[in-house]
Amino acid sequence: MSPAPTLYRGSDGMWMWFVHRATGVAIFFFLLVHVLDTSLVRVSPEAYDEVIGSYKTPIYGLVEAGLVGAIVVHALNGLRVIAVDRWDWALRHQRALTIAVWVITAIVMAGFLPRHLGVVFGGH
Amino acid sequence: MTAPQDIKPMPPTRRHKVQRWWWLFQRVSGVLLIVLIFTHLFVNLMTGDGVSQIDFAFVAGKWASPLWQWWDFAMLLLAMLHGMNGMGYIINDYASRKTTRTVLHALLGIATAVIIVLGALVIWTFDPCPVDASGALLEGVPSFCEDVL
């Protein structure tokens, strides 16, 4: 008996798999750029200060906030993947763990965003 | 119809062992990177004046301590290898032609090696108090350089 054709919409596991890849790729490319900009300390203090100054502009401040968010989700989801692989308990509570990833991300970002955006936009 | 037979697992090849090693590395490095990166982000973005404090003098102040030099070196090495391996999985999933795969893996390996070597040189050859041709301190150096000269 073959099932009726459906559009596969996935479930939490598939979406988290996608989120893990997307955030991983974004973080990887940022890392390449971040090592290059830091390398300017070997050119001159002036060159470094000028380029790093762009990290403090509103646009980059927002990009940076997004990157921190990507890192937090990627880190927590990585722990979830390890847990689900390792413990039956975690496998049985996959869904709760997925929700936990997002809830903890929200809590961390609630601590980080006011502070960071305050510095970027308010000067403090 | 023949009954299902026991299939003996293939003996692990060298390739399997290497892949297994990388799988384990990905998990171990991931856990270590959580500690390394969250500390990095907290110290640089949450304490003091946040992102606005970051300039040459700030970096010089941190790298005056071997702890932060080793911290950043460990972060550089583990993050690049973790990222390289992750990007490698993605290449294997989407690049179906063998030539494309080979080229992409080569580019990835080169980029990773260049960034690790460059980053390591920057950390370990860093001079917190650079001077110009006449021997005067450059603008933007940390204030402790005046005591050193």
Side-chain angles (χ1 to χ4, degrees):
Chain A
M1 199 174 76
S2 72
T6 56
L7 176 65
Y8 181 60
R9 284 187 223 88
S11 63
D12 7 334
M14 190 198 89
W15 287 109
M16 292 314 279
W17 172 86
F18 176 75
V19 166
H20 205 72
R21 287 212 155 173
T23 51
V25 171
I27 296 163
F28 179 75
F29 283 108
F30 168 75
L31 181 57
L32 300 183
V33 176
H34 189 46
V35 172
L36 292 175
D37 66 52
T38 305
S39 298
L40 290 171
V41 296
R42 284 305 273 129
V43 177
S44 74
E46 209 183 356
Y48 180 76
D49 288 354
E50 192 179 325
V51 169
I52 220 69
S54 58
Y55 276 75
K56 303 165 189 174
T57 60
I59 299 242
Y60 215 104
L62 289 174
V63 173
E64 225 175 354
L67 268 161
V68 170
I71 291 169
V72 175
V73 172
H74 193 89
L76 293 172
N77 190 55
L79 290 178
R80 184 190 67 93
V81 170
I82 294 174
V84 165
D85 258 9
R86 193 121 176 52
W87 294 291
D88 288 346
W89 176 89
L91 185 58
R92 281 198 302 273
H93 295 84
Q94 280 219 57
R95 173 142 244 170
L97 284 175
T98 302
I99 294 168
V101 166
W102 291 105
V103 169
I104 299 171
T105 301
I107 293 171
V108 172
M109 293 311 280
F112 173 71
L113 284 181
R115 160 72 178 153
H116 180 66
L117 296 180
V119 171
V120 170
F121 287 97
H124 242 301
Chain B
M1 248 173 65
T2 50
Q5 295 177 329
D6 277 349
I7 297 166
K8 276 212 178 113
M10 290 204 309
T13 61
R14 218 184 99 78
R15 195 185 156 85
H16 288 135
K17 283 181 192 158
V18 170
Q19 282 173 351
R20 206 189 133 67
W21 188 90
W22 274 106
W23 177 87
L24 186 63
F25 170 83
Q26 199 70 351
R27 301 212 152 172
V28 174
S29 61
V31 172
L32 293 173
L33 281 166
I34 290 178
V35 178
L36 291 168
I37 292 178
F38 281 120
T39 306
H40 173 73
L41 290 174
F42 186 81
V43 169
N44 288 20
L45 300 179
M46 292 295 281
T47 64
D49 292 324
V51 71
S52 66
Q53 72 191 329
I54 299 175
D55 57 13
F56 182 88
F58 178 80
V59 178
K62 274 183 91 178
W63 282 350
S65 147
L67 171 74
W68 284 121
Q69 286 185 306
W70 280 102
W71 194 281
D72 289 356
F73 178 68
M75 207 160 48
L76 168 77
L77 193 64
L78 292 177
M80 282 309 298
L81 293 177
H82 185 98
M84 177 188 80
N85 191 41
M87 293 295 282
Y89 291 143
I90 296 179
I91 291 173
N92 287 342
D93 276 359
Y94 296 110
S96 41
R97 282 180 55 222
K98 187 151 180 10
T99 346
T100 321
R101 265 207 313 275
T102 311
V103 170
L104 289 176
H105 276 294
L107 284 175
L108 180 63
I110 293 167
T112 305
V114 167
I115 292 291
I116 290 176
V117 170
L118 175 69
L121 281 174
V122 168
I123 292 172
W124 298 114
T125 69
F126 179 68
D127 176 8
C129 305
V131 292
D132 61 19
S134 70
L137 285 168
L138 295 182
E139 288 277 315
V141 298
S143 49
F144 64 69
C145 290
E146 326 233 332
D147 307 329
V148 177
L149 267 198

